[in-house]
Amino acid sequence: MASNKGYKVTLVKSVFGQLKAHRATVRGLGLRRIRDTVTVADTPEIRGMLTASRHLLKVEELKG
């Protein structure tokens, strides 16, 4: 866990028809449309957001 610098997160499924909380989580990660990619830090809050919306996202660990 200490060696992990962050995550590369890509939206792969539409938020249309999803729960309002899932849409807000995806938006909070900085993702707007399908195939948008962001790099986020490894914090407990971010990990919780990734877990909540994992069915909409592709998550890759960044090592460093």
Side-chain angles (χ1 to χ4, degrees):
M1 187 164 72
S3 65
N4 190 0
K5 294 275 187 177
Y7 299 100
K8 180 179 171 186
V9 183
T10 305
L11 184 63
V12 295
K13 189 175 176 188
S14 174
V15 295
F16 187 78
Q18 300 296 323
L19 294 174
K20 189 174 185 179
H22 293 270
R23 291 194 306 261
T25 301
V26 169
R27 188 76 176 109
L29 288 168
L31 300 167
R32 290 178 176 255
R33 56 184 61 92
I34 295 176
R35 290 188 300 274
D36 267 2
T37 301
V38 295
T39 302
V40 294
D42 181 23
T43 64
E45 294 82 7
I46 294 293
R47 277 188 254 138
M49 293 171 80
L50 297 177
T51 301
S53 297
R54 67 183 172 269
H55 60 289
L56 303 172
L57 306 171
K58 176 182 166 192
V59 180
E60 302 172 43
E61 284 188 34
L62 297 176
K63 301 284 181 163

